[in-house]
Structure formats: structure tokens, C-alpha cells
């Protein structure tokens, strides 16, 4: 199912919006109209007659808001590909779920919420340099985060007073270009590994968790910067390459 500015085709807009056949397209205008007054789920799989893979692709930008605006959930039977920005200006949350957490979420564009939480269920692959900003809402990743094959990508996360939780490894499969975590909340690093080509910057307080005994932060070039406390019952190892640890 594709979400774009094109005319609707082979889609059931009964909320949850779902594919009704091959080549399904949900128009951005319809989705934004629904989000103005309700929480909306867009899904593939289940009883859909489509023979396609079950991906959800955001092809054109989605922006909504207002005092009664709802939250957006994308629930794909396979993978989710975000090729255009998603922006919630009214406090609504954004939740992406790829195959109940066992699929892949490909991020090529920014996602912004104004106080609403962001949740990513599935491994995340950065197809471009991406900024995720919640404006005070919590942000949670259930899987690993890597750059796409062919080039390191940067991830910037801003959560304001909200917390950020990384349940999986970051850059272990393909290193990120850089990682910047901005805000006044707490960043929970539970995956044990953060690997970047360039700088890692942690403006939030950091708590080391997860099942393993060790957390390893590796920066090949520009160092690792902490602007607040680092806590947790784990051993911490830092390899800052040619850069400093601050």
C-alpha cells in the first residue's frame, strides 16, 4: 500500500485503512482529513485480497494538526518505507510497526511530532540522514538501527523532556555517520553497541541497560561527547578513534 498525492485506488478507507487489492494507494488528502478528528491506522495483511508483499510506502509528505488531531499508526504485514516527511503538529503520536516488530523500517525522511510519542517496532535502516523530533514525547526503538548499504547515515534524535529508548544495537551491522541525542530527558541504551564513523553526542542523561554486561561505544573519528550523567549497572567501554571523550 502506498500513501501519496495520487488518486485512491484499491483501498478501503473505513479506518483501519487497508489494501483492497494490488496496486493500492491511499491519498494523503483522505488520510489528513481522517487524522483531523481521530486516531487512524493504516495496515496491510489480515484479510486483504492483495497478492503483494504487504509493504507500506510513504511516497509524499503527510502533515496534520489541530486541537482534535489524532495519532497515526502504520502497521505493515511486511516492511515500512518512509520516503517523505511525516509531521504531526497537534500532539498526535506516530507509531510504525513492521511485521509485528520482525520487519524493517526504512527511513529516508524526517518524522516530527509536537509532544506526541514516536514508536518504531522493527529494525530501522537509515536510507538518508534523518532527524526524529518529538517535542517532548517519548521515543522508542524496539530493534537494531543501521545505515543502508552503500553509505553511512546520520541520526539526530530530539525528545525535549521525553525519554529515548534504544532496545537494539546501533550501527553494529552498518555504522552510522553520526549520532546526536538532544533533549532534557533520559536516553536508555539497552542494545550494548553504538558504532559510528563520526561523532556521538549525548545531551541527555544516559542510562546503560539491557541483558548484556557491557556497553561499547565506538567512534572512528570525531569522538564521544557526554553533556550529562552516565549511569546503569553495566561496564562501559569507549573507543573514540582520533577524537576525544568529553
Amino acid at each position: 500500500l502506498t500513501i501519496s498525492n495520487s488518486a485512491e485506488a484499491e483501498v478501503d478507507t473505513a479506518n483501519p485503512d487497508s489494501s483492497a487489492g494490488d496496486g493500492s494507494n491511499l491519498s494523503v488528502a483522505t488520510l489528513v482529513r481522517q487524522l483531523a478528528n481521530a486516531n487512524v491506522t493504516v495496515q496491510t495483511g489480515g484479510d486483504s485480497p492483495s497478492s503483494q508483499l504487504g509493504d507500506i510506502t510513504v511516497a509524499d509528505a503527510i502533515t496534520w494538526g489541530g486541537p482534535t488531531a489524532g495519532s497515526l499508526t502504520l502497521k505493515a504485514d511486511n516492511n515500512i518505507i518512509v520516503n517523505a516527511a511525516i509531521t504531526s503538529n497537534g500532539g498526535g503520536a506516530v507509531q510504525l510497526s513492521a511485521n509485528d516488530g520482525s520487519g524493517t523500517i526504512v527511513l529516508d525522511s524526517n518524522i516530527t511530532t509536537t509532544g506526541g510519542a514516536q514508536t518504531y517496532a522493527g529494525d530501522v535502516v537509515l536510507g538518508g540522514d534523518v532527524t526524529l523530533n518529538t517535542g517532548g514525547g517519548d521515543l522508542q526503538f524496539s530493534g537494531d538501527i543501521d545505515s543502508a548499504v552503500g553509505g553511512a547515515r546520520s541520526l539526530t534524535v530530539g525528545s525535549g523532556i521525553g525519554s529515548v529508548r534504544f532496545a537494539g544495537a546501533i550501527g553494529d551491522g552498518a555504522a552510522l555517520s553520526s549520532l546526536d541525542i538532544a533533549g532534557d530527558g533520559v536516553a536508555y541504551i539497552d542494545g550494548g553497541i553504538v558504532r559510528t564513523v563520526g561523532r556521538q553526542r549525548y545531551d541527555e542523561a544516559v542510562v546503560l541497560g539491557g541483558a548484556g554486561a557491557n556497553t561499547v561505544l565506538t567512534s572512528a573519528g570525531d569522538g564521544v561527547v557526554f553533556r550529562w550523567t552516565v549511569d546503569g549497572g553495566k561496564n562501559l567501554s569507549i573507543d573514540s578513534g582520533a577524537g576525544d571523550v568529553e
Side-chain angles (χ1 to χ4, degrees):
L1 185 151
T2 299
I3 303 171
S4 77
N5 291 327
S6 299
E8 279 167 10
E10 297 293 339
V11 65
D12 181 355
T13 58
N15 192 12
D17 300 340
S18 59
S19 173
D22 293 342
S24 57
N25 185 81
L26 172 64
S27 76
V28 170
T30 295
L31 179 57
V32 169
R33 186 166 58 250
Q34 292 174 319
L35 284 165
N37 296 292
N39 299 328
V40 178
T41 297
V42 180
Q43 66 183 25
T44 57
D47 296 328
S48 170
S50 172
S51 63
Q52 296 180 344
L53 291 176
D55 292 345
I56 294 177
T57 300
V58 178
D60 289 309
I62 306 168
T63 302
W64 76 99
T68 61
S71 299
L72 174 63
T73 298
L74 303 183
K75 192 176 189 306
D77 197 44
N78 196 41
N79 300 322
I80 296 174
I81 303 96
V82 180
N83 290 330
I86 300 175
T87 305
S88 166
N89 290 319
V94 172
Q95 178 175 335
L96 307 185
S97 177
N99 196 11
D100 293 325
S102 62
T104 299
I105 301 168
V106 180
L107 297 180
D108 280 307
S109 288
N110 301 336
I111 298 180
T112 304
T113 51
T114 308
Q118 296 182 27
T119 304
Y120 300 85
D123 290 339
V124 170
V125 173
L126 303 176
D129 297 331
V130 171
T131 296
L132 307 176
N133 198 322
T134 67
D138 294 339
L139 200 154
Q140 182 167 338
F141 301 90
S142 70
D144 296 339
I145 303 173
D146 288 298
S147 294
V149 175
R153 304 297 185 182
S154 67
L155 176 62
T156 300
V157 174
S159 65
I161 61 173
S163 66
V164 181
R165 185 175 293 275
F166 299 96
I170 303 172
D172 189 34
L176 275 57
S177 172
S178 62
L179 175 66
D180 284 270
I181 301 175
D184 300 313
V186 179
Y188 297 91
I189 300 176
D190 296 339
I193 296 173
V194 180
R195 190 165 67 94
T196 58
V197 176
R199 183 185 67 175
Q200 296 178 30
R201 181 183 177 100
Y202 303 88
D203 286 346
E204 296 191 335
V206 173
V207 175
L208 307 177
N214 301 315
T215 298
V216 180
L217 310 181
T218 303
S219 169
D222 289 339
V224 178
V225 178
F226 299 99
R227 291 306 185 201
W228 205 241
T229 57
V230 180
D231 293 299
K234 306 292 178 181
N235 298 320
L236 175 61
S237 300
I238 301 174
D239 181 353
S240 62
D244 296 328
V245 177
E246 301 179 31

